[in-house]
Amino acid sequence: MRLYFWQVILAITLLTSAGCARKNFYASTPVVDGEVFEHLKSNSATPDSVTIQAGAHYKRGFLHRLFWGTHYRPVWSVPVTVPVFEMDTTWGGLTVEKKGGGFQTTSFTMVSADNKTYALRSLDKDPKEVLPGFWRKTFVVNILRDQISASNPYGALIIPPLAKAAGIPHATPQLVYVRPNDADFGEHQDVASNKVYMLEEKYTDERMVDEVTGNPVDIVGSGKMLNQVFGDQNHYPNQLAFAKARLFDLLLGDWDRHEGQWEWARYERGGNHYYRPIPKDRDNAFYRFQDGIIPWLFSRNWAIRKFESFDEDLSDVYALTINSRFIDERALAQVTRAQFDSLAVALQQSITDEVIAQAVSQFPAPVQELEGEATKRKLMSRRDQLRQAADKFYDILAKEVLVAGTDGEDVFEVKRLNDEETAVTVRRKSDDYVSFQRTFKRSETKLITLHGLAGDDEFELSGKVKKGINIKLVGGRGEDEIKDDSKVSGWGKKTKVYDTVRGTELEAGPDTKDRRTSDVRVHAFDREGF
């Protein structure tokens, strides 16, 4: 059945999009009117603002829209007035520190005279570089480029009032237009030329700590945060703050919240270090993908499920968490169902109808006329469903839980309390400081993975029950001591031990499954995911 489906999709794709990559997909002057463009190119004196079309090239006829979706095509092509970017006067004067961006976005890191950092990121994107070389010359690149129209180019503008009300750190983007051949961009003037950008604060290092509440001492990326959390014994992510930020993502329908979409403000408190998340890159908030025959089919649960559309119903929470699974399971393991519910209630109370209306008013007037009422209606409906969404999110996270130690010496204690509950505690061996503590329920959790990482760790499992949760124990590097005195009389619910044979002391009962090997790399722990 599935093979037949993909054959049909391939046939439709070939019929509607066959051929080579269009060399003129992006018109030579896709943003401003031709006469205005020539004036800007030939005159040193430029107007304060211009009227642009962020993506007139996304206009399509009825048949194309029927198969591939209307998406936000009207928004991309509606005329919007934006200020012309003046590098020497904006925020007291900016300079280009470096050109950045991934495979799709043109972006620059800008630095102000007072050493603050900002990001200049193009609204439009070219996803060509994500494809292997051969496919860049085929119709496939046409399809990928066309589907950029599923994102709302102005969506990031309405997020700051919502985030402020929710108490979530945020940038405050503004629209700017870079005129043709702006000499202030130096060697980058050609690539920067004649584009619409979002200009916003860039929270990536200690230069911006004064712009974040609570007096942090540094700002780091997810990779460095995770290395510190799992490398040292006194570094911890603020899991409740991250849980609230993730519920906020669900509200916005932002499905692309992988570990690269976060920075972390580091705070020092009582000898420990805590990390508070700072979201960034809101390109896929308010996504609209499922309004064409082919995208609708592609986004079914058994296909590419993550492309969930922003709609009144916050129904498919799992789809909105697919891309974030790696960071979620490493930074949300201690958050309980009750805490998720409390955070959802707090968000419902803080993001009022008035806040939503004020946020949507940040759309440019022509965009507000097209999308304002629908966006308000959807945000209010999704806000009202946040408690149910939080409950589903918790269920997703609770099914399989990762409990990781550090490169120091940790003590893991697992107590099978009864047929329903299993308590897990992790302590520092040096001073018995409790770094993790939670009681899991068999009705919610099917598997708990304990990962000792490096160091000489101790694992102690106890309790005799009829039914229980599967425990997977991965010792990691170091000479570990493992004592499993637990017993589950029901079929299949055992403790499985993965470690190196050499240097491991294993005292096990008849229910312990010894899966030790001679190669520690088999059970290496992925900290960063990059």
Side-chain angles (χ1 to χ4, degrees), residues 265-452:
R266 179 169 66 87
Y267 300 83
E268 293 182 357
R269 300 286 189 272
N272 291 324
H273 304 259
Y274 301 93
Y275 295 84
R276 185 184 182 194
I278 305 175
K280 64 178 183 179
D281 297 353
R282 290 297 190 179
D283 295 339
N284 291 307
F286 314 112
Y287 202 68
R288 181 182 293 159
F289 184 71
Q290 296 160 312
D291 59 346
I293 294 174
I294 296 176
W296 184 86
L297 290 171
F298 268 114
S299 60
R300 296 305 85 200
N301 290 358
W302 41 263
I304 311 176
R305 186 175 178 177
K306 66 182 180 180
F307 294 135
E308 176 73 1
S309 288
F310 175 75
D311 220 327
E312 285 90 347
D313 293 328
L314 215 173
S315 54
D316 195 352
V317 173
Y318 180 80
L320 295 173
T321 64
I322 291 173
N323 270 26
S324 59
R325 179 179 176 180
F326 180 91
I327 189 67
D328 286 346
E329 68 181 9
R330 284 158 175 75
L332 292 174
Q334 292 194 71
V335 184
T336 66
R337 188 186 298 275
Q339 288 172 325
F340 264 113
D341 184 68
S342 178
L343 291 168
V345 170
L347 285 173
Q348 288 178 326
Q349 293 173 344
S350 60
I351 302 176
T352 63
D353 289 356
E354 292 74 21
V355 168
I356 291 174
Q358 195 268 328
V360 173
S361 71
Q362 304 306 303
F363 275 142
V367 178
Q368 189 171 343
E369 185 174 343
L370 289 171
E371 293 292 335
E373 288 304 315
T375 304
K376 280 193 292 186
R377 183 179 68 251
K378 293 174 183 178
L379 280 170
M380 291 174 186
S381 175
R382 295 171 75 91
R383 175 205 56 200
D384 295 342
Q385 299 172 54
L386 267 180
R387 291 187 71 186
Q388 297 94 313
D391 201 53
K392 293 178 182 177
F393 191 21
Y394 173 82
D395 285 337
I396 293 166
L397 294 168
K399 188 175 181 179
E400 295 185 3
V401 179
L402 171 66
V403 180
T406 67
D407 286 346
E409 296 183 338
D410 300 300
V411 177
F412 293 76
E413 184 180 77
V414 178
K415 293 183 178 180
R416 298 186 184 276
L417 302 175
N418 50 56
D419 287 356
E420 173 67 2
E421 296 178 313
T422 296
V424 178
T425 304
V426 183
R427 296 183 175 89
R428 290 196 299 239
K429 190 184 292 188
S430 60
D431 59 2
D432 273 347
Y433 179 86
V434 176
S435 58
F436 183 99
Q437 191 168 48
R438 180 175 164 189
T439 298
F440 297 93
K441 297 181 178 181
R442 186 178 63 85
S443 57
E444 300 171 348
T445 303
K446 307 306 178 188
L447 173 67
I448 301 172
T449 298
L450 309 176
H451 215 305

